[in-house]
Amino acid sequence: MRGTCVRGLLGPQNRHLWFWIFIGPFVLGLTLFTYVPLAWSVYLSFFDAHNTVSPTDFVGLDNYAAMLGDDAFTDSLVTFLVFTAFIVPATYALSLSLALMVNRLRWAQAFFRSVFFLPVACSYVVAALIWKMSIFNGVRFGLANTVLDWFGADQIAWLSTTDPPWYWLVIVTVRLWLQAGFYMVLFLAGLQRISPRLYEAAAVDGARPGWQVFRHITFPQLRATSVAVVLLLVINAFQAFDEFYNLLSDSRGYPPYARPPLVYLYYTALGQGQNLGLGSAGAVILALIIAVVTVVQARWFGLGRKDD
Amino acid sequence: MPTPPKSRDVRDALVGVGRAVRLVLLLALALVFLIPFYLLVRNGLSSEADITSPGWTFFPGELHWSNVRELFDDPNVPMAHALLNSSLIAVLTTVGTLLLASLAGYGLARIPYAYANVVFYWILGTLMVPAAVTFVPSFVLVSSLGWVSTLRGLVVPTLFSAVAAFIFRQYFLGFPRELEDAARVDGLGYWRTYWRVVVPNSRPVFAAVGTIVFIGAWNSFLWPLVIGQDRDAWTVQVALSTFTTAQTVNLHELFMAAAVSIVPLLVVFLVLQRYIVTGVERTGIDD
C-alpha cells in the first residue's frame, strides 16, 4: 500500500517534482554562491566594513566615491585598458594564424595542434615562474638577457624597468603563450565548418589562392567564431589576476605600476586593513563595467543575429 | 590590376615554396612554444649553480635526478601535502560539477515544466557575473560560514558551473529520443532512464566537460589563494606562488616543484586530448 503511494508520488507523471529533483540542487547552489554574494556585496558596499562582514555603520555612496576618486583604482582600470589593447589583437592574430597554418597541413597536423594547445594545461602560476625566473630574469642568467648578450645588447631588468615599460612584454607574452592554443582550436573548428563548395566556387571565379580567398571567403565565414573569440578575450583580460600577481609581487609587496583591477581589489579587501566595504564597492563597479562592455560589444558585433 | 598569367610550372614551384616556408615557420613556432616546458625541466634537474650561473647555457652541466627526492624531503616545502590537497580538490570539483551540471542540463532539456525558461535564464544570468569579480563577496560568505581554510570552502562554492550546465543542456537537446522512448516503454522513470540509458550513452561529453573542469580546478589560483589561507590548506598553485614571491626556496627545488605540478595535467591531457578538443569546440558558443 505504502509502496504504491510512493510510486504514485515519484512517478514520471509528477513532472514538477522531477524537474526540481534534477535541477533543484544546482539552482540552489548557484543562488547561494553567486546571487547571494552578489547581493551581499551590494549591501556591504554601502557600509563602513573594516574587518567585519556584519557592519553597522551606513555610509551611503561614500565607498563608491572613495573608489572612483582613488587614483590607484582608476589607474588599475587604465592598466586593464592598455593590457586589453595589447593582448586581444595579439592573441587574435596569433591564434588565427596558427589555425590557418595547421588546418591545411597534410601530415603532422595532430602533432602541431598538440604542441600549440599544450600550454593550456599549464597554470598561470607555473608560466609566470618560468617567465620571471628563467626567461625574463633581470640578472644575467635569464634566457632573454643571454640572447641579448649574443647580439652585444645591454642587459634589461625586465620586470622593474618602467621607462620604457619592458614589463608589458613579459606580461603580454606569458598570456599569449598560455591562451593562443585554446583560441586556435576554436578557429580550427570554425574553419572546418566552412563548406568546400565555397572554395570551389571561388576557384571557378578565378580567385587566387592565398590572400584573396582568405579575404573574401575564409575571413567572412569565420565571423561568428571571431565575435565569440574577441568577446571571450576581452572578458578574460578583464579578469587578469594570476600572472600579474605572480610576475610582479615579491617579498616587498606589489609595485604601484601594472596593477589591474582585480589585483587592486585583492589588496584592498583582503590585504592589511581588510576593507570589505570598499572592496565590495570596487567589485560592484567592476562588475557593472564588465556587463556594459559585454553588452555593448555583443550589440556592436550583432551577436545572436541569424545571418547564416 | 590583373597579374600576367603564369605557366603551370612556375605556379607549382611557388606553391611548393609556400608550403616549405609555412612548414619552417610552423616548426620555428613549435620550438618557441616548447621552450618554456624545456626550461622548466632543465632548471628542475639542474644544480643551483647551473641555474644562476652568469655564463648561462642552454644545456646544463649535468642532470640531478636527486632533486626530486630533495624536493619531497624538504620540510620547508609542503609539496606532498599541497599535491594531496590539489588532487582532492580537483577530483571532488570534477565529480561534483559533472553530477550537478548534467542533472540540471538533462532536466532543462527533457522534463517539461511551465517555468523551465525562467529557471534557464536564472542560470544563464550568472554568466554575466564574472566569477573573479565576486571573490570579495564570496569570501565574505564563506568566511561567515566558517569555511575558510577548509576543503568545503575550497570545493563547494565552485561546484555550480553555469557553463557546464549549459553545455550539458545543449548536448541533451540533441540526444536521440528513441533511446529514451524505449526505456519509457520498459517502464523506467526519469531517474532510471537518466542513469541507465542517457549517462552510459553520453561518455564523450562527460569526458570533455570533466577534463576542462579538472584542468580549471587544478590550475585555479585566486580562489585557493583567498580561501586556503592556512599552510595546511595550500594547493600546489598557492604553494608555488608563495615560494615565487617570498624567495625562501632554492630555485632548483622551485622549478622541480613546478614541473611535478604539471605532470597530472599532462597525463590527463595526453590521455583525453581529443575529448578536450571537442569539448573546447563545444564551448565555442558560436553555434
Side-chain angles (χ1 to χ4, degrees):
Chain A
M1 198 59 200
R2 198 166 150 263
T4 45
C5 192
V6 170
R7 202 170 301 142
L9 188 68
L10 289 178
Q13 65 282 2
N14 199 343
R15 284 178 186 153
H16 290 198
L17 183 70
W18 279 111
F19 183 84
W20 286 112
I21 288 175
F22 273 78
I23 296 176
F26 182 83
V27 169
L28 195 70
L30 203 62
T31 304
L32 187 61
F33 292 108
T34 301
Y35 283 107
V36 168
L38 197 65
W40 201 333
S41 189
V42 174
Y43 173 81
L44 273 181
S45 69
F46 295 115
F47 285 85
D48 177 26
H50 276 87
N51 273 316
T52 175
V53 295
S54 43
T56 48
D57 198 0
F58 184 80
V59 294
L61 291 172
D62 282 6
N63 282 328
Y64 288 90
M67 217 54 185
L68 290 171
D70 178 358
D71 285 346
F73 183 69
T74 43
D75 280 355
S76 76
L77 294 176
V78 173
T79 298
F80 154 71
L81 284 177
V82 176
F83 180 58
T84 311
F86 279 113
I87 197 67
V88 174
T91 312
Y92 183 91
L94 180 63
S95 54
L96 179 57
S97 312
L98 290 176
L100 288 170
M101 287 194 286
V102 168
N103 190 45
R104 288 198 305 173
L105 281 180
R106 295 207 186 132
W107 53 274
Q109 192 186 41
F111 167 77
F112 282 109
R113 199 188 56 198
S114 303
V115 167
F116 297 133
F117 192 63
L118 203 58
V120 172
C122 201
S123 75
Y124 277 92
V125 180
V126 171
L129 166 71
I130 302 169
W131 256 246
K132 180 184 183 176
M133 305 280 202
S134 192
I135 300 177
F136 292 105
N137 216 303
V139 281
R140 269 217 59 180
F141 56 87
L143 175 61
N145 276 336
T146 304
V147 172
L148 282 182
D149 201 41
W150 293 344
F151 295 99
D154 286 339
Q155 310 276 312
I156 294 172
W158 296 95
L159 286 164
S160 49
T161 311
T162 49
D163 185 31
W166 284 115
Y167 57 86
W168 277 117
L169 184 72
V170 187
I171 288 167
V172 170
T173 49
V174 73
R175 184 172 277 242
L176 199 56
W177 179 71
L178 278 167
Q179 68 179 7
F182 177 86
Y183 295 99
M184 174 198 72
V185 170
L186 290 189
F187 277 123
L188 278 173
L191 286 171
Q192 262 141 40
R193 276 199 291 267
I194 302 176
S195 161
R197 270 190 232 139
L198 284 171
Y199 290 110
E200 285 160 22
V204 170
D205 289 346
R208 272 162 302 165
W211 176 245
Q212 268 196 343
V213 169
F214 174 75
R215 219 195 112 191
H216 296 289
I217 310 283
T218 313
F219 190 68
Q221 287 289 314
L222 284 177
R223 190 176 158 278
T225 312
S226 290
V227 170
V229 165
V230 172
L231 214 61
L232 288 173
L233 280 173
V234 172
I235 291 173
N236 284 334
F238 235 133
Q239 312 212 27
F241 177 85
D242 299 12
E243 77 266 50
F244 283 87
Y245 182 90
N246 284 294
L247 283 171
L248 290 156
S249 71
D250 58 26
S251 45
R252 285 159 300 176
Y254 198 96
Y257 53 88
R259 192 165 45 182
L262 280 187
V263 172
Y264 185 65
L265 287 183
Y266 174 79
Y267 283 105
T268 305
L270 302 171
Q272 287 169 346
Q274 298 230 339
N275 197 333
L276 295 169
L278 200 58
S280 295
V284 171
I285 295 170
L286 197 55
L288 284 175
I289 294 175
I290 296 181
V292 168
V293 168
T294 312
V295 169
V296 166
Q297 220 184 344
R299 297 220 114 185
W300 192 19
F301 286 127
L303 192 72
R305 202 167 68 195
K306 295 282 174 216
D307 59 354
D308 37 21
Chain B
M1 198 174 63
T3 46
K6 291 178 189 128
S7 77
R8 179 167 277 274
D9 285 352
V10 172
R11 190 183 295 169
D12 283 356
L14 279 177
V15 168
V17 168
R19 209 169 273 157
V21 167
R22 198 177 66 212
L23 201 61
V24 169
L25 196 62
L26 271 173
L27 280 170
L29 279 168
L31 204 64
V32 169
F33 268 69
L34 289 174
I35 281 177
F37 288 108
Y38 171 73
L39 292 174
L40 184 63
V41 178
R42 174 210 182 268
N43 289 355
L45 292 175
S46 292
S47 65
E48 196 69 12
D50 265 338
I51 301 178
T52 54
S53 149
W56 193 88
T57 51
F58 207 74
F59 300 100
E62 62 180 304
L63 300 179
H64 295 260
W65 291 97
S66 58
N67 287 358
V68 184
R69 208 180 52 237
E70 197 188 318
L71 168 69
F72 286 102
D73 285 347
D74 187 341
N76 296 316
V77 185
M79 196 58 194
H81 199 78
L83 277 170
L84 184 70
N85 282 340
S86 286
S87 310
L88 266 175
I89 289 166
V91 169
L92 289 174
T93 303
T94 307
V95 172
T97 305
L98 285 180
L99 185 73
L100 288 161
S102 70
L103 284 173
Y106 186 76
L108 285 170
R110 281 291 194 265
I111 306 178
Y113 178 62
Y115 298 105
N117 267 341
V118 177
V119 174
F120 185 51
Y121 286 120
W122 180 254
I123 293 171
L124 280 191
T126 60
L127 290 177
M128 291 292 291
V129 188
V133 178
T134 58
F135 79 89
V136 174
S138 298
F139 168 77
V140 168
L141 179 82
V142 167
S143 73
S144 62
L145 290 170
W147 287 6
V148 171
S149 289
T150 65
L151 195 60
R152 272 182 310 221
L154 287 160
V155 173
V156 176
T158 66
L159 290 180
F160 309 94
S161 160
V163 176
F166 180 73
I167 294 171
F168 275 115
R169 174 186 176 267
Q170 299 304 101
Y171 172 81
F172 290 134
L173 281 175
F175 190 82
R177 268 187 191 272
E178 299 78 40
L179 280 173
E180 289 163 276
D181 288 343
R184 197 64 45 75
V185 171
D186 289 345
L188 299 188
Y190 284 116
W191 191 257
R192 285 194 293 173
T193 306
Y194 177 74
W195 278 113
R196 295 206 193 152
V197 180
V198 176
V199 174
N201 284 295
S202 307
R203 286 202 194 103
V205 72
F206 276 87
V209 176
T211 44
I212 292 170
V213 172
F214 187 88
I215 290 177
W218 186 270
N219 283 341
S220 79
F221 176 63
L222 181 53
W223 187 246
L225 178 73
V226 168
I227 297 301
Q229 296 182 347
D230 292 351
R231 196 182 159 91
D232 280 346
W234 280 357
T235 63
V236 168
Q237 311 299 341
V238 174
L240 287 174
S241 167
T242 309
F243 300 131
T244 317
T245 53
Q247 294 173 337
T248 53
V249 78
N250 296 322
L251 276 176
H252 67 273
E253 263 187 41
L254 182 53
F255 276 98
M256 178 49 74
V260 167
S261 81
I262 66 169
V263 168
L265 280 195
L266 289 183
V267 172
V268 168
F269 186 88
L270 291 175
V271 174
L272 297 168
Q273 201 211 136
R274 71 198 162 98
Y275 293 123
I276 308 176
V277 172
T278 49
V280 168
E281 286 168 2
R282 244 176 249 282
T283 56
I285 60 174
D286 52 352
D287 285 332

